[in-house]
């Protein structure tokens, strides 16, 4: 296993992600996160910058450049105020999407700058006034159905992104969104970067998937690995059946 040079990074990403298998009406979805050896993506206080090395973060930017869209939850926007653009490698920034049922995205959030389009996936129940304010701040606000917890329904949200022209989507976290997507089986490829850090107590990468027997755990097939500086990147395809 070798660390790829800067020039081969895009090829390395293509090799790790594999060939997208389109599903009608849904984007091809890659869950990508950086975790410690003990499976944490942030400390108990929400600090995650940075778990991975500069080499791995350049790789993350190359994955962003490979995808039409990037999706995070409002928890990540509030914790990290991320930009979600491609800066470390050449390439186009993806359309930025946020799952934000109650329109809590601050109008000053970095993700609303003009570097790339931003879509906020919210619910019919969210404030109309907040919707106007966020549109004025540069976002496109799309209202979709609620799930049974009153949150933005994942499937309708993903379908709205596909209808918006996004054929491929990278999901960068955090825990709640990764868990919801894996649990609903909307993930086509998982890319996990393992940093040589042991954190102990912290925010788990993935929460309850309803697995009670080991044989029900999500298993990855079609594996690829690559070293990025001190970090080891694993990519695999979940063996769960896709939703119809
Ligand atoms: N290491 C890494 O790679 C990495 C990457 C990203 C984030 N992080 C860390 O992850 C942490 C944030 O994770 P988090 O779990 O608190 O927040 P999150 O997953 O980013 O966002 C969760 C929020 O998204 C909203 N949401 C809307 N629809 C949803 C749906 N269908 N399913 C799930 N959520 C939905 C909910 O808020 P509403 O109900 O208000 O809509 C929910 O509370 C931060 O500390 C961040 O630093 C780490």
């Amino acid at each position: 296993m070798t660390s790829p040079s800067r020039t081969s990074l895009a090829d390395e990403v293509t090799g790790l992600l594999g060939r997208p298998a389109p599903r009608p009406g849904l984007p091809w979805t890659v869950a990508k996160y950086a975790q410690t050896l003990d499976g944490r993506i942030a400390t108990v206080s929400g600090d995650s910058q940075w778990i991975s090395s500069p080499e791995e973060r350049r790789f993350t930017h190359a994955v962003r450049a490979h995808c039409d869209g990037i999706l995070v939850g409002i928890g990540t926007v509030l914790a990290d105020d991320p930009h979600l653009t491609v800066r470390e490698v050449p390439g186009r920034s993806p359309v930025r999407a946020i799952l934000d049922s109650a329109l809590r995205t601050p109008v000053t959030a970095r993700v609303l700058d003009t570097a790339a389009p931003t879509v906020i996936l919210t619910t019919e129940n969210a404030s109309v006034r907040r919707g106007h304010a966020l549109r004025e701040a540069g976002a496109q606000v799309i209202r979709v159905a609620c799930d049974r917890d009153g949150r933005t329904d994942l499937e309708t949200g993903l379908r709205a992104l596909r209808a918006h022209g996004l054929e491929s989507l990278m999901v960068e976290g955090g825990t709640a969104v990764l868990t919801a997507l894996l649990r609903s089986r909307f993930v086509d490829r998982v890319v996990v970067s393992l940093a040589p850090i042991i954190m102990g107590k912290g925010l788990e990468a993935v929460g309850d998937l309803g697995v009670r027997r080991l044989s029900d755990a999500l298993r990855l097939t079609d594996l690829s690995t690559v070293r990025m500086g001190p970090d080891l990147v694993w990519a695999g395809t979940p063996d769960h059946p896709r939703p119809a």
Side-chain angles (χ1 to χ4, degrees), residues 126-150:
S127 149
V128 172
R129 203 157 58 88
R130 286 287 306 154
H132 284 315
L134 285 164
R135 272 192 199 98
E136 286 207 344
Q140 177 162 0
V141 177
I142 300 181
R143 291 173 189 270
V144 300
C146 292
D147 64 14
R148 61 179 175 205
D149 298 319

Side-chain angles (χ1 to χ4, degrees), residues 33-34 41-42 46 48 51 73-76 79-80 99-102 104 147 151-152 154 172-177 180 203:
Y33 52 94
I41 63 165
S48 65
I51 284 178
I74 179 63
T76 296
D80 300 345
L99 281 169
D100 179 9
S101 323
R104 292 190 287 148
D147 64 14
R151 291 177 163 181
T152 308
L154 277 183
E172 245 191 64
T175 297
V177 166
L203 183 64

